[in-house]
Amino acid sequence: MKRQLLAAALVLILIVYPSLGITEDVETVMLAKTLYTLCREESYDTMLAMGTVVMNRVNSPFFPDNIEDVLNQPHQFARGNRYDERSLRAAREILMGKRTLPDYVLYYHEIGTEADWSTRELYAVVGKYGFYNAENL
């Protein structure tokens, strides 16, 4: 009976979280949730660009030196509770070293909103986001 309950619980977990692997770590899932929240309706390239900005910040001396602290900075990266196979795949690629923007691109901004970004140089527009160099670079 216990084995049947355990098997049923495992099947339920795999149905609810089909892309969660046994070895998936917290940072990968956290990044996947961020990418899903910000880019679920965007291209895969947009997900990779957003993930690159996260990792550029991790590697920058001006931001925290780990993914969790970068993602948890106030008002920087929205994160919900959901992710899918595409966002998980993008998170894995980013954590394995894939980058689509130079290391000095540290900021993003949704195009068409009212904020003033005139102090930063626009590097690229990918999807609905502008990606910006650090100030004065």
Side-chain angles (χ1 to χ4, degrees):
M1 181 69 174
K2 288 182 183 179
R3 286 184 182 171
Q4 290 173 334
L5 287 174
L6 183 59
L10 183 59
V11 168
L12 183 60
I13 288 171
L14 292 175
I15 290 171
V16 174
Y17 296 104
S19 57
L20 181 61
I22 293 173
T23 61
E24 224 55 75
D25 64 302
V26 173
E27 285 187 336
T28 305
V29 172
M30 188 179 297
L31 182 57
K33 288 177 179 180
T34 298
L35 297 177
Y36 180 84
T37 300
L38 293 171
C39 306
R40 71 180 163 267
E41 296 176 5
E42 295 293 319
S43 70
Y44 191 72
D45 288 339
T46 306
M47 282 190 176
L48 293 176
M50 189 66 68
T52 297
V53 168
V54 171
M55 295 311 295
N56 286 352
R57 288 188 181 196
V58 169
N59 295 325
S60 168
F62 304 109
F63 293 93
D65 62 357
N66 64 72
I67 292 171
E68 182 175 5
D69 289 346
V70 165
L71 292 177
N72 287 334
Q73 286 188 296
H75 314 292
Q76 297 300 304
F77 296 94
R79 183 175 67 245
N81 292 321
R82 300 187 75 189
Y83 62 96
D84 60 7
E85 182 58 40
R86 191 170 74 111
S87 59
L88 189 61
R89 182 169 42 101
R92 287 178 185 142
E93 282 190 53
I94 291 296
L95 292 172
M96 289 174 53
K98 182 161 183 95
R99 302 291 183 269
T100 60
L101 301 169
D103 61 355
Y104 53 81
V105 177
L106 299 172
Y107 302 98
Y108 75 97
H109 175 64
E110 187 172 342
I111 300 297
T113 57
E114 296 296 320
D116 179 17
W117 283 76
S118 61
T119 61
R120 293 186 172 87
E121 181 182 340
L122 177 64
Y123 177 80
V125 174
V126 184
K128 69 179 180 181
Y129 294 104
F131 293 90
Y132 295 83
N133 298 350
E135 292 179 308
N136 303 320
L137 287 181

